[in-house]
Amino acid sequence: MAIQINGNGTITGISVGGLPDGIVDTDMIAASAVTPAKSTITGGKVLQVVENSSNTTVTTSSNSNTALDLLTVSITPSSASNKVLVFATFVGQANQGSNNSKGWVRVFRGTSSGTVILNLKQGSSDGGGTDSLTMTGIKLDSPNTTSAQTYTMNLARLSSGTNTVSSDSNYYQLQAMEIAA
């Protein structure tokens, strides 16, 4: 069949695969024409994102070294080979007790008795009274499962010399992103 350009701008007589290589480039493809199902990019895609944040004031106590759970997120990987990228941010303050003002934020895979995947520490031992804390951490985790994974962020005093650690009405957040293998 011969290729014909019709008077209305349509072309007939071309079969699938009938154009020579290099005829159609990315400029000729309409926006949104390549759907995720037809994309050839596999690894590194963000498949899902979950987030939890709060600005509820939480404060540790000088008469207890118990860590306080701040936030949890749950994410279910679609493949056991996929990774989970975890982001944690805490902004607050640490108040000096006898000689330190240090805070400690940890993120666990599972509950706060699970595996520590992020370990953030900040403060000073200079006897300065109150220290502002801004702690941010990122971890590419490999849970190796398709079961739901919970990530837990908690807060504690880093030393017994620290009187309190508080979020002081600042936002703190925990995010998890499933990344395709």
Side-chain angles (χ1 to χ4, degrees), residues 75-175:
I75 191 166
T76 304
S78 57
S79 168
S81 60
N82 290 349
K83 310 287 186 199
V84 177
L85 187 60
V86 179
F87 295 88
T89 301
F90 176 84
V91 177
Q93 64 183 21
N95 297 307
Q96 177 186 345
S98 58
N99 61 2
N100 292 313
S101 52
K102 297 179 180 180
W104 189 11
V105 171
R106 291 175 290 182
V107 177
F108 299 84
R109 184 187 321 124
T111 65
S112 55
S113 61
T115 302
V116 176
I117 64 163
L118 270 173
N119 200 2
L120 310 171
K121 302 173 183 179
Q122 188 178 20
S124 69
S125 18
D126 63 6
T130 300
D131 278 323
S132 294
L133 306 174
T134 301
M135 293 182 265
T136 301
I138 302 169
K139 171 66 177 172
L140 186 60
D141 190 36
S142 301
N144 299 316
T145 185
T146 57
S147 298
Q149 296 298 296
T150 299
Y151 292 90
T152 304
M153 178 178 170
N154 75 16
L155 174 68
R157 296 180 305 136
L158 185 56
S159 69
S160 59
T162 303
N163 191 25
T164 61
V165 179
S166 172
S167 62
D168 196 35
S169 297
N170 292 296
Y171 275 95
Y172 44 96
Q173 61 189 3
L174 183 61
Q175 299 168 325

